[in-house]
Amino acid sequence: MTRFIFITGGVVSSLGKGLCSAALGALLQARGYTVRLRKLDPYLNVDPGTMSPYQHGEVYVTDDGAETDLDLGHYERYTGVASRFTDSVTTGRIYSNVIAKERRGDYLGGTVQVIPHVTDAIKEFIQADISGEDFILCEIGGTVGDIESLPFLEAIRQLGNELGPERSMFMHLTLVPYISAAGELKTKPTQHSVKELLGLGIQPDVLMCRIDRPLPASDRRKIALFCNVREEAVIPAMDVDTIYQVPVSYHEQGLDAQVCRHFKLPSEQEIDLSRWRDIVARVRKPEGQVTIAIVGKYVQLKDAYKSLSEALEHGGIANNVQVKLDWIDSEIFEREDVVLHLEHVHGILVPGGFGERGAEGKIKAAQFARERNVPYFGICFGMQMAVIEAARNIAGLHGASTTEFGETPHPVVGLMTEWVRGNEVQRRTHTSDKGGTMRLGAYPCVLAPGSRVSAIYDAPSINERHRHRYEVNINYKERLEKTGLKFCGMSPDGVLPEMIEYPDHSWFIGVQFHPELKSKPFEPHPLFTSFIEAAVAQSRLV
Ligand code: GLN
């Protein structure tokens, strides 16, 4: 029997609902249950693929090629369950499906309304593509009280009624702020938020209260009384020093026991959280530190590189070191010498990116890494920049560039259709739809025997996730390989270069895919483990 847990948030945004949902998923798994996590986002964009990382953080890509909210990354990292296209939906997609049906005449001329048509579409999404999991956790994006989330809340209210409490549960995350002028914790915002939910017909079963200090018993009682929730089901969610402590601390506060109690499942049993405790212990007591420069564009907003910073931390955990990140806006290299900013670092990472702005700075960072033998990791755009660098500075291909920036005499990176059709140069037009026109999702890649990457993966072929339009141009393979740069990973048909490396360098690898999306704290991605290992070696040199 599949049970549904609906997770909403109140008072303010950024309370960490995604992490909270992921942690609950991990705790239920530790109790032996299977879980799947889903996200319902209340904005009108059809998917987050076209949203600015400045506003919305990273676009997380699933194996089946869906462009989703970064919370799906938390879900995967905490539970190890690969997310699917059917695990993420936005108001925009729901409405566009309903309107498409209306245009097709599927409603037979009936008046199409938010209730029941939109709410039915939401309920259908929540219950679709389930393969007998014990729990489906559905996180509703946004904050209770927003106009946009009303149809979602109405849909989960209806579903709660239809399924009954034995198959559904409502969990609400709020904030209990400490007002220093008064020297007091305040429960009023929580009371108001729950009132708002009650006004929509939803009675929360479990309250998670984000708080920066222990919650006194008297406040817990007060919240329980005013919010009509059992006292033990008011769970303090205290700030913690590392995100890996979250499941441990929620468990200690009784979260999973309360959820089991709600569903009349055994709640007393001991559960084994040693793998979480081990990671926390390693994070708290590292044996050293390395500094990695991330040379990118969206460096002001750390959420834009969420999976990346997590994957680097996983690499640190695997090597028992703390990874300090130096976020560098690549545009600075147009005004200041790279040496000034990169001399002290133990590794340089150029992440995924789009557009010409700041690209020259990334090319300079790749050049610095190559010439100084500093570990370099180029991801997607970062690989393309390293290829351009080699083309211009070693192969002597003046003006070599990517067609993403416009015309170039040497398109060492370009749209696939430009070179796979012989002499006939084809272009995908830039006026075509922006959404969904990229190479998205998991693709296989064959590793060259004897290459460094094949030793790192310890496998002849791999599967990694992509999100890009442009490709390294296979027609330049020979000229580029003469520079010492090896095409060490290729698509199975040999047409698309997927990985490059300089065998003579301490560690210089570029990948066309996004390995950070598959790294997990318990299963650090081999490329990140190896990159941090190289950085540790570098730290002994400088
Ligand atoms: N802008 C590049 C492309 O579309 C790289 C994309 C990326 O780094 N994700 O190919």
Side-chain angles (χ1 to χ4, degrees):
M1 176 170 78
T2 302
R3 302 163 185 86
F4 294 82
I5 301 177
F6 301 109
I7 299 139
T8 55
V11 185
V12 290
S13 57
S14 304
L15 285 181
K17 238 183 322 147
L19 211 57
C20 174
S21 309
L24 176 57
L27 290 175
L28 291 169
Q29 281 181 323
R31 286 180 175 265
Y33 298 112
T34 52
V35 301
R36 173 159 289 284
L37 284 101
R38 300 203 146 148
K39 178 93 195 264
L40 292 85
D41 267 312
Y43 41 79
L44 285 170
N45 307 63
V46 172
D47 61 43
T50 47
M51 291 171 87
S52 161
Y54 285 120
Q55 283 188 22
H56 200 254
E58 157 188 285
V59 175
Y60 190 76
V61 180
T62 59
D63 276 334
D64 58 5
E67 297 180 280
T68 73
D69 185 83
L70 56 78
D71 278 326
L72 273 82
H74 289 309
Y75 305 164
E76 274 203 44
R77 286 189 284 274
Y78 274 55
T79 65
V81 178
S83 302
R84 298 198 282 250
F85 180 78
T86 45
D87 292 327
S88 157
V89 82
T90 64
T91 299
R93 187 181 299 280
I94 296 276
Y95 273 86
S96 72
N97 290 350
V98 169
I99 290 168
K101 274 171 102 177
E102 188 274 332
R103 295 287 82 187
R104 274 202 313 264
D106 290 5
Y107 298 112
L108 305 173
T111 311
V112 182
Q113 294 177 297
V114 173
I115 306 172
H117 301 99
V118 169
T119 46
D120 278 355
I122 297 170
K123 288 194 286 183
E124 235 168 72
F125 162 79
I126 293 173
Q127 296 174 290
D129 193 23
I130 292 174
S131 24
E133 287 88 350
D134 297 315
F135 287 98
I136 304 290
L137 279 63
C138 288
E139 180 191 342
I140 315 291
T143 309
V144 167
D146 298 343
I147 291 176
E148 293 96 66
S149 40
L150 286 175
F152 285 139
L153 297 173
E154 169 59 15
I156 60 171
R157 181 196 68 75
Q158 292 176 14
L159 210 47
N161 251 344
E162 289 161 26
L163 297 166
E166 50 295 319
R167 285 195 60 202
S168 67
M169 195 198 98
F170 295 98
M171 181 162 123
H172 188 55
L173 182 67
T174 72
L175 175 71
V176 178
Y178 179 77
I179 307 294
S180 51
E184 279 177 13
L185 283 164
K186 291 293 176 192
T187 64
K188 194 67 85 190
T190 297
Q191 294 177 38
H192 278 297
S193 179
V194 172
K195 217 172 179 176
E196 189 86 38
L197 258 187
L198 284 168
L200 299 168
I202 296 174
Q203 165 68 60
D205 302 296
V206 170
L207 279 180
M208 295 289 291
C209 303
R210 283 299 305 272
I211 190 165
D212 67 354
R213 63 202 64 218
L215 178 68
S218 56
D219 284 316
R220 193 175 189 180
R221 259 196 307 279
K222 193 166 161 189
I223 294 173
L225 191 65
F226 281 91
C227 299
N228 196 26
V229 174
R230 279 180 305 106
E231 207 176 311
E232 317 82 79
V234 177
I235 316 271
M238 270 222 323
D239 295 352
V240 283
D241 56 341
T242 142
I243 57 166
Y244 309 113
Q245 174 64 20
V246 173
V248 178
S249 118
Y250 287 4
H251 170 69
E252 285 167 358
Q253 299 297 335
L255 172 63
D256 44 312
Q258 289 307 317
V259 170
C260 288
R261 210 192 122 159
H262 171 91
F263 288 111
K264 302 200 166 48
L265 296 167
S267 61
E268 300 302 326
Q269 99 230 43
E270 275 301 308
I271 61 171
D272 180 14
L273 293 179
S274 53
R275 68 175 188 166
W276 290 101
R277 294 186 206 276
D278 284 353
I279 288 176
V280 171
R282 277 170 181 247
V283 170
R284 285 185 183 156
K285 276 211 170 17
E287 285 162 11
Q289 192 195 58
V290 293
T291 304
I292 303 294
I294 300 188
V295 182
K297 184 153 77 171
Y298 315 107
V299 289
Q300 302 92 320
L301 182 74
K302 305 288 175 289
D303 268 1
Y305 300 110
K306 192 76 204 162
S307 297
L308 184 67
S309 49
E310 298 268 317
L312 285 163
E313 187 166 2
H314 303 160
I317 293 171
N319 286 284
N320 273 325
V321 291
Q322 187 187 0
V323 179
K324 188 175 155 284
L325 302 181
D326 242 3
W327 298 92
I328 301 175
D329 182 344
S330 58
E331 277 188 291
I332 200 151
F333 297 151
E334 284 160 26
R335 300 184 297 275
E336 292 174 19
D337 193 353
V338 274
V339 180
L340 226 57
H341 296 269
L342 297 179
E343 202 164 33
H344 65 287
V345 305
H346 310 125
I348 297 169
L349 193 150
V350 176
F354 292 84
E356 194 166 9
R357 187 162 63 77
E360 290 304 319
K362 295 176 188 179
I363 294 170
K364 280 188 189 160
Q367 182 179 8
F368 176 90
R370 176 178 59 79
E371 290 176 349
R372 301 273 189 127
N373 208 27
V374 178
Y376 177 89
F377 197 177
I379 295 183
C380 206
F381 203 55
M383 157 163 156
Q384 297 173 356
M385 296 303 108
V387 167
I388 293 172
E389 193 277 318
R392 285 185 192 171
N393 300 333
I394 322 178
L397 301 171
H398 297 293
S401 190
T402 160
T403 57
E404 183 172 354
F405 307 158
E407 293 292 325
T408 159
H410 293 292
V412 288
V413 180
L415 288 179
M416 222 192 319
T417 46
E418 285 182 347
W419 60 85
V420 286
R421 305 242 172 119
N423 295 333
E424 206 185 318
V425 178
Q426 299 221 354
R427 294 245 158 99
R428 216 181 298 184
T429 75
H430 289 276
T431 48
S432 54
D433 269 2
K434 281 270 182 280
T437 57
M438 288 193 259
R439 180 144 82 103
L440 286 168
Y443 283 86
C445 161
V446 180
L447 306 179
S451 61
R452 176 176 296 199
V453 291
S454 78
I456 292 173
Y457 275 95
D458 194 17
S461 72
I462 54 165
N463 242 290
E464 294 278 7
R465 297 182 193 171
H466 292 246
R467 181 173 184 258
H468 55 101
R469 283 193 185 83
Y470 299 85
E471 311 277 352
V472 170
N473 190 340
I474 187 73
N475 290 341
Y476 283 91
K477 183 171 192 262
E478 242 168 63
R479 273 175 283 179
L480 285 168
E481 290 210 317
K482 277 208 191 105
T483 68
L485 187 82
K486 291 284 168 259
F487 286 30
C488 52
M490 297 294 296
S491 60
D493 61 5
V495 170
L496 304 173
E498 301 277 25
M499 303 175 96
I500 53 150
E501 68 182 41
Y502 285 109
D504 295 336
H505 190 280
S506 68
W507 204 100
F508 194 111
I509 291 175
V511 296
Q512 188 55 77
F513 45 80
H514 289 276
E516 72 274 22
L517 300 176
K518 295 221 305 201
S519 187
K520 301 181 183 70
F522 322 107
E523 230 182 281
H525 192 287
L527 283 173
F528 284 90
T529 304
S530 172
F531 177 57
I532 298 299
E533 194 185 336
V536 172
Q538 179 72 13
S539 73
R540 301 209 173 102
L541 297 177
V542 292

